[in-house]
Amino acid sequence: MTQEEPSGDVLSQGVMSTGEGMRIFPDVEACIDCGGCVVACKRTWDREIGNQRIDITTMLEGTAGPQGENARKTARLEAGENPGETSLPMQCYHCENAPCVSVCPTDALQKEDDGFVTVTDDLCVGCQYCLSGCPFGAPQFPDSEEGTAQIVGTGGIMDKCTGCRERQEASKGPACAEECATDAILVGGAGEIADELEKRDSGPFFNDEAMRIIFGEEDAQLFQ
């Protein structure tokens, strides 16, 4: 377990704790690509058509694994086997070692002390360096013809998952996680998420490098 874990009552099987120190992480064994998380996010934050803060990526669509369509995806992948059709909610995971923050030339992106990765609209010039740096495709640029991007950038002001920070400050879970029918989006401390995946006999799905980006060197070891 980590030295410091967020506190709070258990809110649901997927949302275990909120606020400072929380992390967002997908359980690919549970995701059924229903799109509920996308709808919940767009409805909560009134996003424009074409701007999704969550994108469900489906790999090997229509392909069954050796033991059926919906079992042991992460174990198969770790063993070098075909995991079969796998759906993965891709969004900002508020990484510990956020590459988007490292490459942002205007400091528009920041890793805050409470763990959230935030963007300051007034500082974003739409250069899209963050998009090239993020391995999870989180940054979006919905207003490509507006703002300072018209002068110095190549895209609009960046938009991404906020982690529903305002909801979490009110002890609520992110809308996507609260409304996920299968509890496929996990919210909690790194130790809580690792324990939940182990209880489900699931796994992290991402490779070691991605896990170090998301959780940091020390906490990534909790998933091994």
Side-chain angles (χ1 to χ4, degrees), residues 66-126:
Q67 299 175 24
E69 296 182 352
N70 299 305
R72 309 279 297 163
K73 299 178 189 299
T74 52
R76 286 187 207 144
L77 191 69
E78 187 173 354
E81 300 174 354
N82 172 14
E85 181 174 306
T86 303
S87 295
L88 180 63
M90 302 286 278
Q91 62 195 101
C92 177
Y93 299 132
H94 299 269
C95 300
E96 181 65 24
N97 299 316
C100 61
V101 173
S102 301
V103 301
C104 179
T106 64
D107 293 332
L109 283 157
Q110 293 290 329
K111 178 72 174 176
E112 306 289 354
D113 291 340
D114 60 7
F116 289 86
V117 174
T118 63
V119 57
T120 301
D121 289 351
D122 292 343
L123 295 178
C124 179
V125 297

Side-chain angles (χ1 to χ4, degrees), residues 21-102:
M22 74 83 213
R23 314 308 302 271
I24 297 176
F25 196 72
D27 177 6
V28 299
E29 305 283 3
C31 182
I32 58 174
D33 193 17
C34 68
C37 56
V38 178
V39 174
C41 178
K42 290 177 76 70
R43 185 184 67 245
T44 301
W45 298 107
D46 193 24
R47 304 314 303 158
E48 309 90 334
I49 295 175
N51 177 21
Q52 294 186 181
R53 289 174 170 175
I54 303 174
D55 183 25
I56 303 176
T57 298
T58 299
M59 295 163 279
L60 300 172
E61 188 167 3
T63 302
Q67 299 175 24
E69 296 182 352
N70 299 305
R72 309 279 297 163
K73 299 178 189 299
T74 52
R76 286 187 207 144
L77 191 69
E78 187 173 354
E81 300 174 354
N82 172 14
E85 181 174 306
T86 303
S87 295
L88 180 63
M90 302 286 278
Q91 62 195 101
C92 177
Y93 299 132
H94 299 269
C95 300
E96 181 65 24
N97 299 316
C100 61
V101 173
S102 301

